[in-house]
Amino acid sequence: MSTQSAPLDARVRDLVSTYGDDAFDVAAHLCDRHPADAIAHTIIKEDLSSSVLRYGQLRQESEKLADSFLKIGIERGDRVATLMGKGHAYLVTILAIYRIGAVHVPLFMAFAPPAIQFRLESCGAKLVACDASQKTKLKAVEAESPERSWKIMTTGDAGKGELSFDELLAEGNPGTASVAVGGDGAFIQIYTSGTTGKPKGVVVPAKALAGFHAYAEFALGLKPDDIFWNSADPGWGYGLYFGVLATFCTGTPSILLCAGFSPELTFEVLSKFGVTNFTAAPTVYRSLLATGITPPQVALRCASSAGEPLTPEVNAWSERALGVLVHDHFGQTEAGMLVNNHHHPELKRPLRTGSMGAAMPGWTPVILKLDRDEIAPSGEVGRLAFEVAESPFAWFSGYVGDPAKSAEKFAGDGRWYLSGDMAKMDGDGYIYFSSRDDDIIIMAGYRIGPFEVESVLASHPAVAESAVIAVPDTVRGEVLEAAVVLHAGHEPTRQLVKELQTHVKNGFAAHAYPRRIHFVKSLPKTPSGKIQRFVVRQQATEGSLVTLNLRETADAN
């Protein structure tokens, strides 16, 4: 077990025992055990007005909504998706889902209809809870899914055949008993994207909360009197696991900002609401730095970063501007957080440039050789993996309905869980990220599978094939670019560039469109016909990608 002291070893065992118990009750633990008057979340609007949601209110309202869920036929194990922004209704909804033993399927609000449709059909959703602003997307999904299995619950006015969040809440009875699903019981089904194939479903068992709780204590260093703010979106793993669930586990008062990102607003929230513990993607810190604004007085005690590698200029700025150093952290949808520069006093060590820290207690890391399942010597770049038997927080058992992809996550006959990333580890246990061993793109903290973007591009009549890559960006870390081969009869024009970008925004997600499109005659491929994205990426970085000249219009001379 990768821990630093007997007390930490004991704490790991205690968490594993609590969350792994056969009688574990998710809603009772995340909500009902906390004092009724304790603050769960402070919900802040764009104009900085705010409201407080306390655990007593959260319990009563989630019990009422749970009662209504049962009355409309939602049962234990049913999949309930949320296409909702941060806010009061979202928190009540997910607690109601857990209370009846149903399974929460988070959806990112920037997803376009096809991405939503795939996930809803894949999980067999029985209900989709959505904000009013998202109904038009669901209508588009309905048009393509006449045999859909789900009902719609909206926070706005309910249309024909729809359910109203407000009405279900008003009609429900308090006192609905929560269901104990046990540590092995599913309570989330979340999707992660790879470089090939479709997004992969990950079923998260309740015992995974042990590692989420540990991250809050060991890495974030949360204290009972902290004001915590995780700025990540709960439609993704980091925002859900550690912006919502981890604080329910610890009872730490947390902030939800119901507004889009802006550096100015971020500074105002940090200052006005006295945030003491803050975590965000490196993109957020780089955006704050780029403004040149002198920050208002803040009360930060801890600052953390996750989602992509933290670049050194952030800490050169943050120590001066925010009064703290930002601690880089590393994790995955399939595991939770694995490697951190910890804030816990017994784990805190000097930061080393380029290192994402050391393994979190409860995880035992190894670096495997690139070409075989043997442990590499100290300092050698290899595959970052974790000893399953020696990692009590490990919970991933495979992707839903995909045994082949599941098998690729393990090596040594199941001995090691493979992170899918390459790294090196020094003699002091510091781990340094090298690269991904697949082509996953991380932009502004969001993991994007190039295959999904390429699939949307391929649906355009002008596109024969494409390769989507990432190139460095000073603010976002990485941005998408695409090398596109056109069908005969189509010309590379500036108008077509804009058309393809819009096509991706509408067909996949608003944030995941190629910022630049290169029209090429052909793409480099292996002898078996697989596109070599790494070659395209190298050519784009070096400026040697041979592209066709853009015309203003298709019929220009």
Side-chain angles (χ1 to χ4, degrees), residues 236-248:
W236 296 92
Y238 191 74
L240 174 59
Y241 295 172
F242 309 113
V244 178
L245 299 180
T247 60
F248 283 159

Side-chain angles (χ1 to χ4, degrees), residues 32-300:
D32 304 352
R33 69 184 176 93
H34 296 301
D37 62 348
I39 296 173
H41 282 77
T42 298
I43 300 165
I44 304 169
K45 295 182 179 179
E46 190 170 8
D47 63 2
L48 296 182
S49 62
S50 63
S51 60
V52 168
L53 179 60
R54 300 181 185 274
Y55 278 103
Q57 182 183 4
L58 181 60
R59 176 175 184 172
Q60 183 180 60
E61 292 188 3
S62 64
E63 286 177 346
K64 293 173 70 175
L65 187 60
D67 178 60
S68 288
F69 281 171
L70 292 170
K71 289 175 180 175
I72 63 173
I74 306 299
E75 302 176 345
R76 176 175 177 170
D78 286 343
R79 270 50 178 171
V80 179
T82 56
L83 188 60
M84 307 174 79
K86 306 169 188 176
H88 186 124
Y90 169 77
L91 296 172
V92 171
T93 299
I94 65 171
L95 257 298
I97 294 168
Y98 303 150
R99 193 169 295 283
I100 63 175
V103 179
H104 174 210
V105 182
L107 300 174
F108 184 40
M109 291 244 290
F111 278 149
I116 295 169
Q117 179 180 349
F118 171 79
R119 288 158 175 81
L120 294 181
E121 292 179 345
S122 171
C123 73
K126 293 292 183 68
L127 179 71
V128 184
C130 75
D131 287 346
S133 62
Q134 300 296 304
K135 282 176 60 175
T136 54
K137 292 182 183 177
L138 287 178
K139 291 297 182 184
V141 171
E142 286 181 2
E144 298 296 325
S145 304
E147 303 299 323
R148 65 186 183 279
S149 59
W150 60 85
K151 300 175 183 178
I152 294 175
M153 179 187 77
T154 178
T155 56
D157 294 333
K160 183 179 180 181
E162 296 173 351
L163 302 165
S164 163
F165 170 85
D166 290 337
E167 290 178 5
L168 291 180
L169 189 61
E171 294 167 359
N173 296 312
T176 305
S178 57
V179 173
V181 299
D184 291 324
F187 82 116
I188 293 171
Q189 183 166 327
I190 192 168
Y191 285 80
T192 183
S193 297
T195 59
T196 58
K198 297 177 180 179
K200 301 179 289 294
V202 177
V203 172
V204 184
K207 65 184 178 185
L209 287 165
F212 301 172
H213 191 146
Y215 174 71
E217 287 187 12
F218 298 155
L220 298 173
L222 290 187
K223 295 182 177 180
D225 59 351
D226 263 332
I227 304 297
F228 177 63
W229 182 19
N230 179 334
S231 69
D233 192 287
W236 296 92
Y238 191 74
L240 174 59
Y241 295 172
F242 309 113
V244 178
L245 299 180
T247 60
F248 283 159
C249 289
T250 61
T252 306
S254 182
I255 279 175
L256 283 183
L257 176 62
C258 308
F261 170 75
S262 80
E264 294 78 11
L265 183 58
T266 300
F267 280 135
E268 289 185 90
V269 171
L270 288 171
S271 178
K272 179 176 179 178
F273 292 89
V275 176
T276 60
N277 200 314
F278 179 58
T279 183
T283 304
V284 170
Y285 293 104
R286 287 194 290 265
S287 296
L288 297 178
L289 184 164
T291 64
I293 295 173
T294 300
Q297 186 173 359
V298 297
L300 282 179

Side-chain angles (χ1 to χ4, degrees), residues 330 339-340 349 352-359 365-370 375-386 419-436:
F330 166 83
V339 176
N340 312 294
R349 304 167 73 182
R352 293 187 180 175
T353 301
S355 173
M356 53 195 185
V366 296
I367 304 295
L368 298 177
K369 287 184 172 293
L370 294 174
I375 296 176
S378 176
E380 181 177 307
V381 172
R383 294 170 293 155
L384 176 61
F386 295 83
S419 70
D421 295 292
M422 291 185 286
K424 64 181 179 180
M425 182 163 51
D426 66 21
D428 296 322
Y430 283 85
I431 297 173
Y432 299 78
F433 176 84
S434 175
S435 64
R436 290 172 291 280

